[in-house]
Structures are given as C-alpha cells and as structure tokens.
Amino acid sequence: MIAKLSWKAKLGYSTFSLSYVMQTMIVTWQMFYFTTFLGVSMAVTAVLIATGKIVASVIGPVWGYISDRMYRNALGRRFGRRRSILIFAIPANFVFYLLLWIPNLPIPVYFFANLLYWAFFAGITTVQYGLPSEMTENPTQRAQLVGVNQIAGAIGGTFLSVLNVYLFTIWGKDNWESYFNMALLYGIIGTAVLMLGFLSIQERPFDESTNVSDADGNGTQGTSGTAGHIGAGKRLVSVVWNFLSVLKVKEFRNYLGLYLSEEMFRTVRGTLNTYFVIFVLLLDPQTVSLATGVNLLFGIACVGFFMWVTAKIGGPRAYRLGGVEVIFVFLAMFALAMTASSIPTGTRAVLYIGLGLFMNFGITGVVNATQYTYTFIPDVDEIITSKRREGQYAAINSTIDDIFSSAETIVIGLVLEATGFVEGAQSQPPQTVFALACLFSFVPIAICIVGIVFTFRLRLNRENHEQLLAEIARLRDGGSMDDVTPETRTLVESLTGMPYEQCWGHNNVINVAHKA
C-alpha cells in the first residue's frame, strides 16, 4: 500500500486537466476554424480530424505497453515509468498543436500535424488515466483524485471560455488571427502546467508488482528475475496480445459500456455544439464561450455533490441519476431548437445557458461515476496477472474511445455534407439546420441509454473492492491460493470472468505463450 498522498501530488495530478485548455480549443473550434477560415471542406475536415484520432487509437496501446515496462531501463528507473513518457510527449504535443492553427499551409501539413498531435496526446492521456490507480490503493484518495481532476478541468474550461469572450471582444471573431492567438496562448499555458504536473505526480516504486517486463520474456508470471530477450516480431505480438487479452476481464467489459457511452455522447455534443448554437439557435460565438464558461463553473460545485453521492450510492446508481437528467435536458434542447425563430435573441441565449447548467449537472454525475469506477479496474487485473498494468488499461480506454469518436466525427461530417452544409456561410439551409438539431439532441440520448443499461451489469462497489484488495494483499504476502474463502472465490470469479485457479498469473493474459 502506497503512503497517503500529499496535496502537492493531488494538485500535480490536476494539472493534466488544466492543460486541457489546449484540447478544449481543439474540440470547440478546430472544425469551425478549418471550414470557415482555412477554406477546407466539411468532408475533408471531418476525415482529417478522424484520421488523427484513429492514429491515436492505434498508438495508445503502444504507449501503455511501453510505460508499464519502463522500469526495465535507466530512464524509467531515474524518472519513473510514467514521467519518462511525459518527457517526450509534452514538447511534441505543443509543437504539433500549434501547427494546426497556422494559416495557408498545405492540406498535407495539417493532416500530418493533426496526426502527430493526436499520437503524442495519446501518450499524455495514457499517463493521466492510469495515475489514480497508480498513485494510491485507497478508494477515498482515488475519489479525491477523480474529483480534483474534474474540478481542475472545470476551472481550465471556465478560464478558457470566459477569457475567449474578452478576447473575441478585443480581437474580433471574424478573422483567423484571433483564433491563432488564442491557440498560442492556451498552448503555452497548457504546456507549462503539464511541466508542473511532471514535477509533482507520484508513482508506484519498482517492486514485484511493477516488474511487468519479467512476465513477458521467461514465460512465468508473478516471479522475480530478469526478463528474457524478446525480438521485434514477438514484441509486436505481445503489444497486440496485451491489448486484446484485457477484454477477457468481465468487469472491464462492463465498465467499457459506461465509458464509451459517456465519452461518445459528450463527443457528439462537443463536436456539434458550436454549429448548434450558431446555425440552429442563431446566437453568436461569444455565447458559445460564455455558456461553456458558466456551465463549467457550475460544474465545480456539482463535482463536490457527486463525489458525496457516488460514495453513498455507488458508481452505477450515480451514473443512472446523471444520465436520466441529461436525457431530459437534451429533449428540452430540441424543443428550444424547434421554436428558436419565434423567441427573442436574449431569451434564447438565457434559455440555452440555463439548460446548459442542468445538462452540466447530469454530465458531471456521469463522468464522476465513470472515472471512479475505472480506478478499480487495475485491481481486478492484478488479481488476474499479479502485476500492476495501469498503463495498459489507460491505453485501452483512450484507444477504444478514439476509434468510436473518430467514427462519430466522420459520420457527422458526411451527414452534414449530405444535407447541404455550406462551408464559410453565415447561415445554413433549413434541412441542414433540422439535421443539426436532431443529431445534437437524439444521438446523445440513444448513446446515454446504452450506458444506463450497462450500469445494471457492474459488480464493483466499495465493499467488493475492499474484499478484493484484502485478497491481493494476502497473495502478495505469500498466502496460498488454496486458502481462499468461498465468498472471496465467488467475488473474484464474478469480477474476472475466469476460474479462481486461473488467476494470480496462472493464465496467458500478459504472455500469450504462457501456459498455466
């Protein structure tokens, strides 16, 4: 068990979300910027953005695989297996992010800059997703990390959105220079806070459980010693196998239902939000930034509430509470869209911001419940493999999310193109406006319902987690698997989806060639 976390370490972890001022700029404005100021068609822009996400999804498992095994070399031993990844990813992320906002570059340059931005961003997110489980085994401290992470994200988003309103006022909203200057400003801020995080986060030390490379090379798991040499071909097979084999874990599959639903409906909303506000509700870009800032500020208070609720009623029930509320708000947004032309502009803006507050309340609950549930997954993996592989599961999270979100981006772009979307126009045809309203409202509702269904399949809660950790600690201390209690056996088998005798390294989850 790792010692109690200091507030320096907790705040250091929060810098990852603070750095998302860069990602928020990408999600909110990249498609709008490319189609409006760079003259790139909607279809090409959608494919360009989606391709970058696909690359991130492919390279994500590589980041996870490498970071889990960084203790095998001198760099990892000196800086830590997670921070070693950040040494390369942070500066590269900044360089390729900035290239996306420079005008008059050839399309191939934007294509490769976007591709490499997402590739290195995948390295950063892999570290971020794995850290709550990496930094502590205590559920309360993990909940604090999740909460601090959300609050930092809300603060960063609020800062960006409120500042954007001011910057649009002094720089204007109808020229590319405003967007480039904002992107540069947020790139500098985001990179600076990531460097602070690099100096502050806490990692598991090198020990039996973090010596993952030993399980790759010699065909044994749960034993100490030096890993055998693995050739390039076998290394590639191992990367792919480690990606696929985690899907054997029953509770992880159930968790993915929650995670994908949460990420997908938020991706649809984020991708379409600017278009929905400008072309459906007929409001201006300042309203987008102001509404985002107000909603995120309100979300800070919501995080504290849902940290308490999730601890009381559990992740699945908290997810359902937030999800149902989100569904009703999306229905209200559609009603507002259908009546927008008959409502005064000021009233429309107030209604949109007000509904956004209610939506953000529900989204905060869904995100908090999902992230809290995830922190238990590496513990389920440890009872299977006897190793700590936070990086592997973090990479799987981002990989599968990128695959689905890139598919969403392509579909959205193609649908809008098919309905007659006009790049660079100040207004859109009626059929495009109606398609925007439907996509923005009903697609997230359908995805959210899928997530709610998966909450009824999850077994992880605080009590079961404590029992699982006790069994892991017993086996770490040299306890015999033959001495397991019937209750613990039943729990382990229900979470892992495999017989108890095949757990604790008696399987090929890490090494495909290993035989029990």
Side-chain angles (χ1 to χ4, degrees):
M1 180 74 71
I2 292 178
K4 184 177 180 180
L5 289 175
S6 67
W7 273 104
K8 176 185 175 182
K10 294 174 185 176
L11 293 176
Y13 176 64
S14 73
T15 59
F16 286 89
S17 285
L18 286 173
S19 75
Y20 277 19
V21 292
M22 301 165 67
Q23 181 67 0
T24 301
M25 189 71 189
I26 289 279
V27 171
T28 306
W29 296 111
Q30 185 185 13
M31 184 173 281
F32 182 78
Y33 181 74
F34 272 51
T35 56
T36 303
F37 297 109
L38 302 186
V40 183
S41 71
M42 173 63 74
V44 171
T45 299
V47 171
L48 184 147
I49 295 173
T51 302
K53 293 181 179 180
I54 291 172
V55 167
S57 71
V58 172
I59 202 170
V62 179
W63 285 120
Y65 183 93
I66 293 174
S67 68
D68 280 341
R69 292 158 176 79
M70 283 299 290
Y71 277 143
R72 73 186 302 161
N73 59 53
L75 183 69
R77 294 290 185 94
R78 179 176 179 181
F79 293 102
R81 55 180 184 167
R82 311 306 177 192
R83 281 187 286 191
S84 298
I85 298 298
L86 297 179
I87 290 175
F88 302 102
I90 291 174
N93 182 70
F94 171 74
V95 170
F96 295 116
Y97 161 83
L98 192 59
L99 277 175
L100 293 173
W101 303 96
I102 299 176
N104 302 320
L105 298 178
I107 294 295
V109 174
Y110 292 123
F111 177 84
F112 285 107
N114 189 71
L115 183 151
L116 291 170
Y117 164 77
W118 283 101
F120 284 98
F121 181 71
I124 294 173
T125 55
T126 295
V127 173
Q128 180 192 11
Y129 289 149
L131 281 176
S133 299
E134 173 90 20
M135 293 172 72
T136 180
E137 292 180 352
N138 185 287
T140 300
Q141 292 188 64
R142 287 181 180 177
Q144 290 173 358
L145 287 171
V146 169
V148 167
N149 180 59
Q150 284 187 274
I151 291 172
I155 292 173
T158 301
F159 169 79
L160 177 143
S161 301
V162 173
L163 183 58
N164 271 4
V165 174
Y166 173 72
L167 295 179
F168 277 132
T169 301
I170 62 174
W171 289 342
K173 63 180 186 294
D174 299 321
N175 59 85
W176 69 266
E177 290 95 341
S178 299
Y179 296 86
F180 173 81
N181 291 336
M182 286 188 286
L184 176 61
L185 174 64
Y186 299 136
I188 293 172
I189 293 172
T191 302
V193 298
L194 279 175
M195 292 304 299
L196 291 176
F198 171 85
L199 298 172
S200 306
I201 58 175
Q202 184 171 310
E203 299 190 39
R204 288 177 180 270
F206 178 78
D207 60 19
E208 182 75 14
S209 67
T210 56
N211 185 19
V212 179
S213 60
D214 131 21
D216 290 322
N218 56 23
T220 61
Q221 299 182 40
T223 60
S224 59
T226 303
H229 175 71
I230 300 179
K234 290 184 178 180
R235 181 76 66 190
L236 178 60
V237 170
S238 183
V239 171
V240 175
W241 175 252
N242 274 256
F243 172 79
L244 296 175
S245 65
V246 299
L247 298 177
K248 288 183 174 183
V249 183
K250 181 179 179 181
E251 197 70 352
F252 181 62
R253 297 196 302 269
N254 292 334
Y255 158 78
L256 278 181
L258 270 67
Y259 177 74
L260 286 176
S261 297
E262 172 245 316
E263 286 289 316
M264 286 172 65
F265 88 72
R266 291 200 298 134
T267 297
V268 172
R269 183 203 179 208
T271 300
L272 293 176
N273 188 59
T274 300
Y275 293 102
F276 180 79
V277 172
I278 293 175
F279 297 126
V280 178
L281 299 185
L282 305 177
L283 300 172
D284 55 33
Q286 287 97 324
T287 303
V288 178
S289 291
L290 179 62
T292 303
V294 171
N295 291 341
L296 290 173
L297 190 62
F298 176 69
I300 295 175
C302 296
V303 170
F305 172 76
F306 272 104
M307 285 174 62
W308 173 77
V309 167
T310 303
K312 289 291 183 183
I313 66 177
R317 293 175 67 185
Y319 189 104
R320 292 195 287 270
L321 174 64
V324 168
E325 202 247 4
V326 163
I327 289 172
F328 280 107
V329 175
F330 271 116
L331 290 173
M333 284 286 193
F334 183 75
L336 176 61
M338 293 298 97
T339 58
S341 59
S342 61
I343 300 175
T345 301
T347 305
R348 245 181 292 142
V350 170
L351 288 174
Y352 170 72
I353 293 174
L355 287 174
L357 292 177
F358 285 104
M359 180 178 291
N360 204 59
F361 176 81
I363 288 176
T364 300
V366 169
V367 173
N368 186 269
T370 303
Q371 292 183 356
Y372 180 72
T373 301
Y374 167 75
T375 64
F376 298 156
I377 298 297
D379 300 320
V380 178
D381 183 74
E382 184 174 6
I383 197 68
I384 295 174
T385 65
S386 81
K387 301 296 182 183
R388 298 299 306 187
R389 298 194 302 160
E390 286 86 357
Q392 190 68 53
Y393 282 89
I396 299 300
N397 258 9
S398 57
T399 292
I400 295 179
D401 171 43
D402 286 335
I403 292 172
F404 279 84
S405 64
S406 60
E408 285 178 308
T409 303
I410 292 175
V411 170
I412 289 170
L414 293 176
V415 169
L416 292 181
E417 191 87 1
T419 61
F421 185 91
V422 181
E423 290 84 5
Q426 299 300 311
S427 62
Q428 298 295 332
Q431 68 272 18
T432 302
V433 172
F434 182 72
L436 277 168
C438 291
L439 287 172
F440 181 83
S441 303
F442 294 118
V443 173
I445 288 175
I447 297 172
C448 195
I449 290 173
V450 173
I452 291 173
V453 170
F454 271 94
T455 63
F456 291 98
R457 297 172 55 88
L458 279 167
R459 287 291 312 279
L460 278 172
N461 55 41
R462 194 181 185 98
E463 292 75 22
N464 288 344
H465 182 241
E466 290 176 354
Q467 187 177 350
L468 178 67
L469 288 181
E471 179 64 6
I472 291 172
R474 187 182 72 82
L475 295 175
R476 276 184 192 166
D477 292 338
S480 171
M481 294 183 70
D482 294 333
D483 297 333
V484 63
T485 65
E487 295 79 9
T488 300
R489 174 191 290 271
T490 300
L491 173 64
V492 170
E493 292 180 347
S494 70
L495 294 175
T496 63
M498 60 180 62
Y500 179 84
E501 289 76 15
Q502 293 181 15
C503 294
W504 204 243
H506 299 287
N507 53 68
N508 64 349
V509 171
I510 291 181
N511 185 352
V512 66
H514 176 65
K515 303 299 180 184

